[in-house]
Amino acid sequence: MKRLLALLSAGALALTGCSTGDDAVDVNNGGEFRFVEGTPRGEVIPLDERATAPEFGGTLLDGDQFSSAELAGDVAVVNFWGSWCGPCRVESPEFQEVYADVRDEGVQFLGINVKDTEQLARAFEERFGIEFPSLSDPRGEVALAFRDYPASAIPSTIVLDRESRVAAVYTGAVEEQDLRDVLGMLTAEED
């Protein structure tokens, strides 16, 4: 009976969490998932309050090595996602559309794929036509590097300015116009 109640509770929690696109999944160090409400517009950090993003790196889904130093000098969108994440399925095609519009304007996009096999992650990218690179991070080590920011909620997006400082943080799916607005603001900032 206890097992049945536990399964029913887990199923109810999963259905409740997945029922809207406004929820995010919090992946903590123990590998548990819990659903949390996303921040509708996120937080844009004033220029004088921005902190330098942590350094990170690893292997991209295409097998190449990556270092966060490659983002320096450009505005960068770092998006934490998983193929199993409902809101990511909505957000990813919109990110691709924005990426296609701004990639030649000094803006880079980097996905951080968490809690997935490489096969599932690549299938997701193919299905949604994602052209920007994604770092394979099955254990969530990059999210841990961003411990001062809520990057453990999936999806989460952290936008860096040209000086590799955290300029905006979103938990939950980012609306396309919000992303365009913050990128417009950051690309207009003086170096």
Side-chain angles (χ1 to χ4, degrees):
M1 184 68 169
K2 286 183 183 180
R3 184 173 183 211
L4 177 61
L5 286 175
L7 288 172
L8 289 174
S9 295
L13 178 61
L15 288 174
T16 301
C18 292
S19 64
T20 71
D22 295 332
D23 291 341
V25 180
D26 184 8
V27 183
N28 64 25
N29 293 344
E32 296 176 12
F33 298 93
R34 66 187 168 101
F35 294 90
V36 295
E37 185 176 329
T39 305
R41 293 188 56 98
E43 176 188 4
V44 177
I45 300 169
L47 185 62
D48 61 345
E49 295 178 23
R50 295 179 192 163
T52 301
E55 293 180 13
F56 61 92
T59 304
L60 296 172
L61 291 174
D62 67 7
D64 290 343
Q65 290 300 303
F66 177 84
S67 168
S68 59
E70 296 176 42
L71 302 173
D74 288 335
V75 171
V77 176
V78 181
N79 175 249
F80 294 81
W81 65 277
S83 66
W84 41 265
C85 163
C88 298
R89 292 184 195 111
V90 173
E91 169 182 82
S92 293
E94 293 176 358
F95 273 37
Q96 174 57 40
E97 188 174 318
V98 174
Y99 171 71
D101 291 345
V102 300
R103 64 180 157 203
D104 296 328
E105 299 173 17
V107 179
Q108 294 189 55
F109 277 57
L110 176 69
I112 308 292
N113 176 256
V114 297
K115 301 287 183 180
D116 260 334
T117 65
E118 287 186 35
Q119 181 181 8
L120 289 173
R122 283 188 292 237
F124 180 93
E125 286 185 328
E126 185 175 314
R127 176 179 178 201
F128 292 106
I130 306 302
E131 297 173 333
F132 54 86
S134 280
L135 191 65
S136 178
D137 189 33
R139 297 187 308 195
E141 292 170 349
V142 176
L144 289 176
F146 280 94
R147 70 178 51 92
D148 293 334
Y149 305 96
S152 62
I154 306 301
S156 285
T157 302
I158 296 176
V159 184
L160 308 178
D161 65 16
R162 288 189 188 103
E163 302 295 321
S164 298
R165 297 173 298 198
V166 176
V169 178
Y170 299 88
T171 55
V174 180
E175 292 185 21
E176 182 178 342
Q177 191 57 53
D178 288 344
L179 184 60
R180 288 183 185 278
D181 290 347
V182 79
L183 291 176
M185 179 193 80
L186 293 173
T187 56
E189 287 180 352
E190 295 295 320
D191 288 334

